[in-house]
Amino acid sequence: MWWDRILADAPQFFTYYNAIFVLQAMGTTLALTVTGCSIGFIFGFLIAGIRSTHGRLLLPLRLLVTTYVEIFRRIPFLVILFIVMFGVQAISQGISLFVIALISICLVSTAFMSEIIRAGMESVPRAQREAAEAMNFGFWRTLLSVILPQAWKVILPPGFAFMVMFIKDTALASQMGVVELTFTGKMFVGRGFSPFLVYAVVLAGYFVMSYPLSRLGAYLEKRLATSRSRESLERVWTGPGSVQREPVGEQG
């Protein structure tokens, strides 16, 4: 029975060195995700900014980055991994598989993050941009001083959701030999341990990594939604043509 095998393998599986090996694999998975998505956020912001411009001189650049985003949002991540691996190894054989996987994650996360950021920027009312233009704000000053302070409330929740999703997608890097959490599970099964025991530990590892991030994203979304509601109420009570509340002591 599979249960009897789990009980028999557990004492040999749950050892100090195996635990260290699993924790190192979890660290590799987190490093790939956090580093790749952070770099993707930076380049995604630049791409979103370029796509928000309107000058004719930047039209070729806008077309180039738009093509990049549309292509890399539609190619499966596993395909990108192998394309990058064969492309990089054709240039240099000394680059590690970790770096190849990180480059692949950066390429994909940049495309997706740029769309998340662009959607957040477009959620800001156009009147805000027109007011900044009337005050002779340049494009980048308008972006940094007017648009982003309001847009980040829309950007952060889906940004965290994408990062949590990519924690699971890094398992595909095991197909090319990166020693992350899923690859570690394959190694333990290859050494004869029960697959039910091994992949239960792998499942728990992914849960431990992704659950805190998902809760943090939900917390930020709730806080930001409350902040937006408060700002909306303030505009209703203090904006032009608003209904002014009377002090309690002056009523009746």
Side-chain angles (χ1 to χ4, degrees), residues 14-31:
F14 292 107
T15 63
Y16 172 78
Y17 293 104
N18 286 350
I20 293 298
F21 192 51
V22 171
L23 290 175
Q24 289 175 343
M26 291 173 61
T28 300
T29 299
L30 272 179

Side-chain angles (χ1 to χ4, degrees), residues 58-73:
L58 292 179
L59 178 59
L61 186 57
R62 286 199 300 272
L63 292 176
L64 179 62
V65 297
T66 300
T67 302
Y68 166 84
V69 170
E70 295 301 323
I71 289 176
F72 279 89
R73 287 179 65 225

Side-chain angles (χ1 to χ4, degrees), residues 212-232:
L213 281 176
S214 64
R215 295 306 303 166
L216 177 59
Y219 170 77
L220 288 175
E221 185 175 5
K222 183 177 180 180
R223 284 291 301 271
L224 295 175
T226 303
S227 176
R228 287 196 296 269
S229 300
R230 188 183 302 116
E231 290 175 358
S232 299

